[in-house]
Amino acid sequence: NTTDKNTYWGAWRGGIQQGIITPLKGIGPSGTRKTCANLDTNIPKWLPGKNFCGNHPHNFYVQLFAETGIVGLFSGCLMFGSIIWACFKARRENFMCPMAVTAFIVPLGLFFPFQQFGSFFGQWGNLFIWFATGFALSQIQSFNKEQNII
């Protein structure tokens, strides 16, 4: 739903527009709140809807694109992908271990691209995200040590 009344899309739209304006370096971390209100919502014409300017775009990937540009988006996707891949490998190698299965689901759910989320660069809710991710990775590390992989 990309209508003018959808504030969820409007938050993403503002971030996408900021990323298009400064695609290489972005507008800087936590810069969305400062620049979104000053954007011309008619540019680009192909991007539907109306901007809803909150503190951040409410999506990790859109926020990384808007605030750190293509380089930051690529780095973030590489980081998310490597975390998910490490957990998936541990799950595949030890399918009967409930911790390995849980460790795979946690980052997959947290870093799923099409969801509303808090700010990547800081909110108290990030404590839960990174704690759960760290716990999932610690389970994989202990599994690898038991198997003499690391």
Side-chain angles (χ1 to χ4, degrees):
N1 181 2
T2 57
T3 64
D4 292 352
K5 295 177 184 176
N6 186 346
T7 57
Y8 294 112
W9 166 250
W12 288 18
R13 188 199 188 284
I16 292 169
Q17 185 180 10
Q18 290 172 332
I20 291 169
I21 291 171
T22 55
L24 291 179
K25 63 178 181 141
I27 58 171
S30 298
T32 301
R33 70 187 77 196
K34 297 173 187 146
T35 60
C36 183
N38 302 326
L39 295 174
D40 180 5
T41 58
N42 295 322
I43 301 172
K45 295 224 182 269
W46 56 266
L47 193 59
K50 179 180 170 186
N51 290 350
F52 175 74
C53 296
N55 290 335
H56 52 84
H58 292 83
N59 179 281
F60 284 165
Y61 300 92
V62 173
Q63 184 177 8
L64 285 172
F65 179 52
E67 296 183 0
T68 61
I70 293 171
V71 174
L73 176 62
F74 179 75
S75 299
C77 288
L78 191 64
M79 178 183 73
F80 298 152
S82 67
I83 291 170
I84 293 168
W85 178 249
C87 292
F88 178 73
K89 268 186 10 185
R91 178 184 182 267
R92 191 177 59 194
E93 291 170 5
N94 191 7
F95 189 74
M96 299 307 290
C97 175
M99 293 308 290
V101 173
T102 305
F104 167 65
I105 295 300
V106 168
L108 186 64
L110 291 174
F111 302 126
F112 188 73
F114 302 111
Q115 67 178 338
Q116 296 288 329
F117 231 99
S119 175
F120 181 79
F121 293 109
Q123 280 189 331
W124 69 272
N126 287 359
L127 169 77
F128 301 108
I129 295 167
W130 296 113
F131 180 80
T133 302
F135 182 76
L137 290 174
S138 74
Q139 296 307 306
I140 289 168
Q141 294 297 319
S142 63
F143 168 71
N144 287 339
K145 285 180 184 175
E146 290 172 10
Q147 301 296 320
N148 294 325
I149 296 172
I150 292 181

